[in-house]
mmCIF file of all heavy atoms in Angstrom:
data_model
loop_
_atom_site.group_PDB
_atom_site.id
_atom_site.type_symbol
_atom_site.label_atom_id
_atom_site.label_comp_id
_atom_site.label_asym_id
_atom_site.label_seq_id
_atom_site.Cartn_x
_atom_site.Cartn_y
_atom_site.Cartn_z
ATOM 1 N N LEU A 25 131.899 103.782 102.674
ATOM 2 C CA LEU A 25 131.571 105.010 102.765
ATOM 3 C C LEU A 25 131.026 105.651 101.458
ATOM 4 O O LEU A 25 131.806 105.438 100.489
ATOM 5 C CB LEU A 25 132.748 105.941 103.262
ATOM 6 C CG LEU A 25 132.466 107.353 103.538
ATOM 7 C CD1 LEU A 25 131.583 107.470 104.777
ATOM 8 C CD2 LEU A 25 133.794 108.146 103.773
ATOM 9 N N ILE A 26 129.873 106.216 101.428
ATOM 10 C CA ILE A 26 129.290 106.824 100.211
ATOM 11 C C ILE A 26 129.139 108.231 100.268
ATOM 12 O O ILE A 26 129.023 108.922 99.234
ATOM 13 C CB ILE A 26 128.057 106.048 99.759
ATOM 14 C CG1 ILE A 26 126.929 106.133 100.845
ATOM 15 C CG2 ILE A 26 128.329 104.543 99.332
ATOM 16 C CD1 ILE A 26 125.566 105.669 100.336
ATOM 17 N N ALA A 27 129.208 108.862 101.546
ATOM 18 C CA ALA A 27 128.950 110.197 101.638
ATOM 19 C C ALA A 27 129.467 110.711 102.926
ATOM 20 O O ALA A 27 129.375 109.845 103.990
ATOM 21 C CB ALA A 27 127.524 110.719 101.437
ATOM 22 N N SER A 28 130.017 111.895 103.089
ATOM 23 C CA SER A 28 130.454 112.512 104.363
ATOM 24 C C SER A 28 130.552 113.890 104.249
ATOM 25 O O SER A 28 130.400 114.528 103.275
ATOM 26 C CB SER A 28 131.816 111.932 104.554
ATOM 27 O OG SER A 28 132.848 112.358 103.698
ATOM 28 N N SER A 29 130.438 114.493 105.541
ATOM 29 C CA SER A 29 130.669 115.990 105.703
ATOM 30 C C SER A 29 131.427 116.247 106.825
ATOM 31 O O SER A 29 131.375 115.475 107.931
ATOM 32 C CB SER A 29 129.405 116.686 105.716
ATOM 33 O OG SER A 29 128.602 116.339 106.684
ATOM 34 N N GLY A 30 132.230 117.241 106.937
ATOM 35 C CA GLY A 30 132.857 117.834 108.178
ATOM 36 C C GLY A 30 134.147 117.143 108.726
ATOM 37 O O GLY A 30 135.002 117.766 109.288
ATOM 38 N N VAL A 31 134.269 115.810 108.431
ATOM 39 C CA VAL A 31 135.473 115.130 109.107
ATOM 40 C C VAL A 31 136.633 115.142 107.983
ATOM 41 O O VAL A 31 136.354 114.881 106.823
ATOM 42 C CB VAL A 31 135.157 113.747 109.594
ATOM 43 C CG1 VAL A 31 134.805 112.805 108.401
ATOM 44 C CG2 VAL A 31 136.177 113.187 110.421
ATOM 45 N N GLU A 32 137.841 115.277 108.394
ATOM 46 C CA GLU A 32 138.920 115.215 107.590
ATOM 47 C C GLU A 32 139.393 113.781 107.300
ATOM 48 O O GLU A 32 139.456 112.971 108.291
ATOM 49 C CB GLU A 32 140.099 116.078 108.005
ATOM 50 C CG GLU A 32 139.711 117.542 108.222
ATOM 51 C CD GLU A 32 140.996 118.284 108.596
ATOM 52 O OE1 GLU A 32 142.089 117.845 108.499
ATOM 53 O OE2 GLU A 32 140.585 119.503 109.035
ATOM 54 N N SER A 33 139.757 113.452 106.119
ATOM 55 C CA SER A 33 140.111 112.026 105.720
ATOM 56 C C SER A 33 141.271 111.491 106.517
ATOM 57 O O SER A 33 141.381 110.211 106.689
ATOM 58 C CB SER A 33 140.372 111.997 104.297
ATOM 59 O OG SER A 33 141.535 112.826 103.834
ATOM 60 N N GLN A 34 142.106 112.238 107.161
ATOM 61 C CA GLN A 34 143.203 111.682 107.911
ATOM 62 C C GLN A 34 142.848 111.300 109.269
ATOM 63 O O GLN A 34 143.623 110.693 110.067
ATOM 64 C CB GLN A 34 144.451 112.579 107.946
ATOM 65 C CG GLN A 34 144.164 113.910 108.511
ATOM 66 C CD GLN A 34 143.771 115.068 107.433
ATOM 67 O OE1 GLN A 34 143.214 114.712 106.511
ATOM 68 N NE2 GLN A 34 144.192 116.190 107.789
ATOM 69 N N SER A 35 141.538 111.637 109.711
ATOM 70 C CA SER A 35 141.035 111.247 111.082
ATOM 71 C C SER A 35 140.926 109.725 111.150
ATOM 72 O O SER A 35 140.375 109.137 110.208
ATOM 73 C CB SER A 35 139.678 112.008 111.309
ATOM 74 O OG SER A 35 139.067 111.442 112.532
ATOM 75 N N ALA A 36 141.191 109.241 112.288
ATOM 76 C CA ALA A 36 140.948 107.762 112.482
ATOM 77 C C ALA A 36 139.432 107.442 112.475
ATOM 78 O O ALA A 36 139.155 106.310 112.236
ATOM 79 C CB ALA A 36 141.618 107.208 113.832
ATOM 80 N N ALA A 37 138.601 108.344 112.712
ATOM 81 C CA ALA A 37 137.145 108.062 112.720
ATOM 82 C C ALA A 37 136.655 107.919 111.367
ATOM 83 O O ALA A 37 135.517 107.454 111.052
ATOM 84 C CB ALA A 37 136.429 109.283 113.379
ATOM 85 N N PHE A 38 137.384 108.421 110.311
ATOM 86 C CA PHE A 38 137.013 108.391 108.918
ATOM 87 C C PHE A 38 137.529 107.098 108.262
ATOM 88 O O PHE A 38 138.779 107.088 108.114
ATOM 89 C CB PHE A 38 137.437 109.587 108.223
ATOM 90 C CG PHE A 38 137.187 109.808 106.788
ATOM 91 C CD1 PHE A 38 136.014 110.575 106.366
ATOM 92 C CD2 PHE A 38 138.023 109.189 105.739
ATOM 93 C CE1 PHE A 38 135.765 110.571 104.967
ATOM 94 C CE2 PHE A 38 137.645 109.338 104.467
ATOM 95 C CZ PHE A 38 136.564 110.020 104.117
ATOM 96 N N GLU A 39 136.647 106.183 107.915
ATOM 97 C CA GLU A 39 137.091 104.937 107.290
ATOM 98 C C GLU A 39 136.314 104.780 105.966
ATOM 99 O O GLU A 39 135.206 104.743 106.041
ATOM 100 C CB GLU A 39 136.782 103.622 108.247
ATOM 101 C CG GLU A 39 137.509 103.714 109.503
ATOM 102 C CD GLU A 39 137.092 102.442 110.249
ATOM 103 O OE1 GLU A 39 137.729 101.348 110.054
ATOM 104 O OE2 GLU A 39 136.209 102.667 111.204
ATOM 105 N N ASN A 40 137.124 104.620 104.896
ATOM 106 C CA ASN A 40 136.549 104.405 103.581
ATOM 107 C C ASN A 40 135.819 103.014 103.580
ATOM 108 O O ASN A 40 134.827 102.868 102.854
ATOM 109 C CB ASN A 40 137.439 104.462 102.538
ATOM 110 C CG ASN A 40 137.857 105.894 102.230
ATOM 111 O OD1 ASN A 40 136.973 106.731 102.039
ATOM 112 N ND2 ASN A 40 139.074 106.166 101.987
ATOM 113 N N LEU A 41 136.371 102.067 104.195
ATOM 114 C CA LEU A 41 135.752 100.677 104.262
ATOM 115 C C LEU A 41 135.832 100.242 105.700
ATOM 116 O O LEU A 41 136.818 100.256 106.343
ATOM 117 C CB LEU A 41 136.637 99.672 103.377
ATOM 118 C CG LEU A 41 135.935 98.379 103.262
ATOM 119 C CD1 LEU A 41 134.567 98.451 102.517
ATOM 120 C CD2 LEU A 41 136.971 97.449 102.409
#
Side-chain angles (χ1 to χ4, degrees):
L25 183 69
I26 60 170
S28 66
S29 67
V31 69
E32 296 185 17
S33 61
Q34 61 267 28
S35 170
F38 179 93
E39 299 179 81
N40 283 316
L41 185 65

